[in-house]
């Protein structure tokens, strides 16, 4: 975490320096705004390479290509074709080489993309892309969930799930979409997810919890989207 903070700090210090040097035309004929945007896009690319988040690698790279198309010899390429190629390439690579999550479950997930309710599964895997859906997790021994949403909207209800042990985990991988979690207000939720131009919001969280409340850790990455946690 400390190394991550150093890296982010260096990126933004360089962005600040570029803003100042732009006044002295150090980047002429490149505008200061372009330099600043480039630094931010490079930060997104570098941050997502270890996780193989291809959308957050190829799409920012496409924007960099578009920003500097005046200096490149590929005049036949249009911004739309570059962005379309980045999106399609991201989808293809996601199928060929699944992204590497820092969260590694010790058992296999049960996967059933057609089911709307998971009643007996303790470990579940739900993935959607370019769609919207609602899932109900009603396990009597909930332990772990992996939720992936790309260019879509996912609503996941855990209000009827029960935790027999002392803890459970939810991993959220949200890219260019919105993931809404509906959790029991009795759960002690700890958020350990990272964000890249995204946001995590908690709504109606109880200020006091019982001493025996199960601990639920939320991991993952929210990029170019939102994750909202509703306590019900």
């Amino acid at each position: 975490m400390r190394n991550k903070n150093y890296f982010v700090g260096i990126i933004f210090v360089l962005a600040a320096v570029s803003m100042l040097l732009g006044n002295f035309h150090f980047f002429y004929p490149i505008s200061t705004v372009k330099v600043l945007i480039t630094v931010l896009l490079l930060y997104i690319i570098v941050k997502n390479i270890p996780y193989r988040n291809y959308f957050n690698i190829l799409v920012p790279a496409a924007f960099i290509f578009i920003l500097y198309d005046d200096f490149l010899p590929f005049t036949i390429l249009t911004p739309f074709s570059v962005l379309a190629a980045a999106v399609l390439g991201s989808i293809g690579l996601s199928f060929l080489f699944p992204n590497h999550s820092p969260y590694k479950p010790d058992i296999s997930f049960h996967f059933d993309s057609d089911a709307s309710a998971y009643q007996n599964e303790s470990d579940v895997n739900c993935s959607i892309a370019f769609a919207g859906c609602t899932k109900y997790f009603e396990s009597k021994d909930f332990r772990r969930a992996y939720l992936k949403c790309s260019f879509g909207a996912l609503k996941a209800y855990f209000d009827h799930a029960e935790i027999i042990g002392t803890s459970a985990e939810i991993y959220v991988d949200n890219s260019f979409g919105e993931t809404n979690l509906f959790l029991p207000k009795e759960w002690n939720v700890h958020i350990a997810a990272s964000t890249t131009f995204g946001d995590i919001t908690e709504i109606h969280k109880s200020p006091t919890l019982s001493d025996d409340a199960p601990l639920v850790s939320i991991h993952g990455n929210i990029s170019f989207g939102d994750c909202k946690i509703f306590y019900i």
Side-chain angles (χ1 to χ4, degrees), residues 112-225:
D112 186 356
S113 60
D114 296 327
S116 61
Y118 298 80
Q119 296 179 340
N120 301 315
E121 297 84 352
S122 297
D123 297 77
V124 292
N125 183 338
C126 176
S127 179
I128 67 167
F130 296 95
C133 72
T134 301
K135 300 290 185 179
Y136 299 90
F137 302 91
E138 303 171 352
S139 171
K140 301 301 181 181
D141 182 20
F142 172 67
R143 286 179 287 170
R144 189 174 292 126
Y146 177 86
L147 308 176
K148 182 176 182 180
C149 177
S150 300
F151 292 92
L154 172 63
K155 293 182 179 180
Y157 285 84
F158 293 87
D159 52 319
H160 287 92
E162 298 179 10
I163 300 175
I164 295 180
T166 59
S167 64
E169 296 175 294
I170 300 175
Y171 183 88
V172 180
D173 186 358
N174 185 94
S175 299
F176 295 92
E178 180 175 285
T179 300
N180 293 325
L181 306 178
F182 298 86
L183 308 180
K185 60 183 179 181
E186 297 81 12
W187 287 0
N188 180 16
V189 177
H190 172 66
I191 299 177
S194 62
T195 59
T196 304
F197 290 94
D199 189 32
I200 301 176
T201 306
E202 294 181 283
I203 301 173
H204 303 310
K205 185 173 184 179
S206 176
T208 58
L209 296 169
S210 62
D211 295 334
D212 58 349
L215 175 64
V216 178
S217 300
I218 298 181
H219 305 273
N221 183 42
I222 312 300
S223 54
F224 292 95

Side-chain angles (χ1 to χ4, degrees), residues 19-106:
M19 292 289 292
L20 295 176
L21 294 180
N23 295 322
F24 299 96
H25 304 289
F26 273 77
F27 302 112
Y28 183 82
I30 303 175
S31 68
T32 306
V33 175
K34 278 189 176 182
V35 175
L36 178 60
I37 295 175
T38 303
V39 171
L40 294 176
L41 292 174
L42 287 175
Y43 163 67
I44 296 172
I45 293 173
V46 172
K47 180 180 178 181
N48 286 278
I49 287 177
Y51 306 118
R52 298 181 188 173
N53 194 326
Y54 302 108
F55 284 100
N56 292 341
I57 296 173
L58 295 184
V59 172
F63 278 113
I64 293 177
F65 183 92
I66 294 171
L67 284 174
Y68 298 96
D69 60 348
D70 295 337
F71 304 94
L72 299 174
F74 311 107
T75 56
I76 194 173
L77 297 177
T78 63
F80 175 79
S81 63
V82 173
L83 284 175
V87 172
L88 294 175
S90 301
I91 297 173
L93 289 174
S94 298
F95 280 104
L96 294 174
F97 309 101
N99 61 340
H100 174 69
S101 167
Y103 172 61
K104 298 179 180 179
D106 54 1

